[in-house]
Amino acid sequence: QRLVVMVCWWGRAAPRVLSAVRSPTLRPVETISWEDFKKLHPTQRWKRTSPIVIKGCASDWPATKWTWDYLKNNSTDEDVWAWEGVIENENAKYVKGLKMRDYLQTCTSAPASKPEDTLVTPLAEESSAGLCRLNYEALATIERPTYLEARLSRYFKKIVHEIHARSLFPSRLAFPYIFHDGFIGGPRTFTGLHNDHLLNCLIQLKGTKQAVLFPKVPELYPSDKYEIYATNSQVDLTKPDEILSKRPKFQDVEGGLWTELEPGDGLLIPRFWFHAMLSLSPSVSTTTWVLTTANMHEIVGEYLLDDIHKIGLYKRGNCCCCK
């Protein structure tokens, strides 16, 4: 009886809540071709203060030609630790005991996204200008997909060399982390709002993914929970009712951006820009972190702080990693 009452309440209340929540206006991310990006001086590449999409920057990488069967056949036999839910919103749990091949199978066999299951939707009156809003109607129905963030060089040792990330930043003043963090998930896999403390170049290898980005402002409600090299937002885009009641200032945040990434595209995300992402199809992407002479001392400091955290002397119990 209680369940029936709850379902009825949600069916009546949800439309009113969703219609009351206002979305920030989102402009398209600036786009540059790979040919034009290569003409930039190396320091212009990693000193950017706003995001940019690099169209086709990885289109000639062998990794963008990967098939799911190719990935399965070239994966190691190690167990992976995926998480179920949205770890940035602190409602995730780890799933242990999965083999990479089995996990890849779950990604490709998951139900396909519907056309309306997008992260953003056009503003009807401004559609010609490319302006969008957050698609709260779809975000509110996201369940708890299983998502994997993994070191690709560990699980795909034989083929990781087919990712040519070093070509993006050929400079002695910038040191790309070539350890290839990978993000693998099925349709409707969602990454919650967070920022990274390093310049982040996300490359879409397979599938299509949408992203929204916001500058670092108080209206993003930064969390004080510890996570190495990152800061999560307390704004949970999958719970619009909570935005209205607990994080109302988010509705008025300015400077929001959106983009859609196809295989071979890159998204350069400057330090401290908050971002969230939604996969529209089975997706594989990889991140190259860029360490420069200007931020090296900060990152080394964070690395040492992480050691202090791991022995329980810094933010013990107030973190995203020790649950």
Side-chain angles (χ1 to χ4, degrees):
Q1 185 177 5
R2 260 183 214 174
L3 179 60
V4 173
V5 171
M6 288 175 67
V7 170
C8 291
W9 177 87
W10 174 250
R12 293 179 181 178
R16 291 200 299 270
V17 171
L18 292 179
S19 63
V21 181
R22 288 181 290 105
S23 165
T25 299
L26 307 171
R27 296 181 293 106
V29 176
E30 179 187 350
T31 298
I32 188 172
S33 70
W34 173 229
E35 293 302 318
D36 287 338
F37 186 79
K38 287 190 292 186
K39 296 175 184 177
L40 297 177
H41 188 275
T43 57
Q44 291 179 293
R45 301 187 187 191
W46 54 261
K47 280 191 174 182
R48 287 195 58 86
T49 57
S50 60
I52 189 169
V53 172
I54 313 166
K55 291 295 292 183
C57 65
S59 58
D60 60 346
W61 295 7
T64 59
K65 311 300 188 296
W66 287 348
T67 65
W68 290 100
D69 285 339
Y70 184 72
L71 288 171
K72 293 174 191 175
N73 293 334
N74 286 279
S75 62
T76 65
D77 201 36
E78 296 181 63
D79 286 352
V80 299
W81 281 39
W83 65 73
E84 186 181 82
V86 183
I87 195 168
E88 293 83 5
N89 296 335
E90 302 170 20
N91 62 358
K93 64 178 182 180
Y94 279 106
V95 180
K96 305 177 186 179
L98 281 173
K99 300 293 185 184
M100 177 59 80
R101 288 177 195 150
D102 297 331
Y103 176 73
L104 294 173
Q105 182 62 38
T106 66
C107 294
T108 55
S109 61
S113 294
K114 300 176 182 177
E116 62 269 22
D117 291 339
T118 55
L119 181 56
V120 299
T121 189
L123 288 174
E125 67 275 16
E126 298 285 355
S127 58
S128 61
L131 299 183
C132 285
R133 64 171 179 84
L134 288 163
N135 187 1
Y136 286 130
E137 293 81 359
L139 287 166
T141 63
I142 288 178
E143 297 177 354
R144 294 173 63 88
T146 304
Y147 193 39
L148 178 68
E149 177 181 355
R151 194 65 51 84
L152 297 184
S153 57
R154 176 179 178 181
Y155 296 103
F156 300 98
K157 296 176 181 178
K158 297 179 182 178
I159 60 173
V160 72
H161 65 277
E162 297 177 0
I163 299 174
H164 298 170
R166 192 171 292 279
S167 64
L168 299 170
F169 299 95
S171 171
R172 294 180 180 178
L173 300 178
F175 309 94
Y177 272 167
I178 310 298
F179 52 57
H180 306 306
D181 265 354
F183 306 91
I184 305 174
R188 306 204 74 201
T189 299
F190 179 70
T191 305
L193 274 173
H194 68 286
N195 71 33
D196 299 306
H197 301 174
L198 282 170
L199 177 65
N200 172 1
C201 190
L202 180 83
I203 305 296
Q204 190 68 17
L205 299 177
K206 286 194 68 62
T208 306
K209 179 178 288 186
Q210 288 187 334
V212 293
L213 307 100
F214 300 93
K216 182 183 178 181
V217 292
E219 291 84 357
L220 270 294
Y221 297 89
S223 171
D224 67 347
K225 283 188 176 292
Y226 173 75
E227 183 170 359
I228 186 171
Y229 303 146
T231 300
N232 292 326
S233 169
Q234 298 178 69
V235 176
D236 187 345
L237 298 180
T238 66
K239 297 179 180 177
D241 53 333
E242 287 190 4
I243 293 176
L244 191 63
S245 61
K246 298 180 180 180
R247 322 280 182 223
K249 293 182 181 179
F250 174 72
Q251 300 173 99
D252 299 313
V253 67
E254 297 181 351
L257 304 171
W258 77 275
T259 191
E260 184 168 310
L261 301 174
E262 299 175 339
D265 291 344
L267 174 60
L268 198 60
I269 307 174
R271 301 173 66 200
F272 305 118
W273 268 75
F274 282 87
H275 49 282
M277 302 195 180
L278 180 70
S279 298
L280 305 183
S281 59
S283 169
V284 179
S285 53
T286 185
T287 285
T288 296
W289 307 99
V290 182
L291 178 65
T292 69
T293 53
N295 65 19
M296 187 182 299
H297 66 286
E298 298 177 29
I299 301 307
V300 171
E302 286 205 39
Y303 188 82
L304 295 175
L305 189 64
D306 192 56
D307 286 338
I308 297 173
H309 168 73
K310 287 176 179 176
I311 62 175
L313 298 180
Y314 178 73
K315 291 201 173 184
R316 182 177 183 178
N318 186 28
C319 64
C320 300
C321 52
C322 299
K323 292 182 180 180

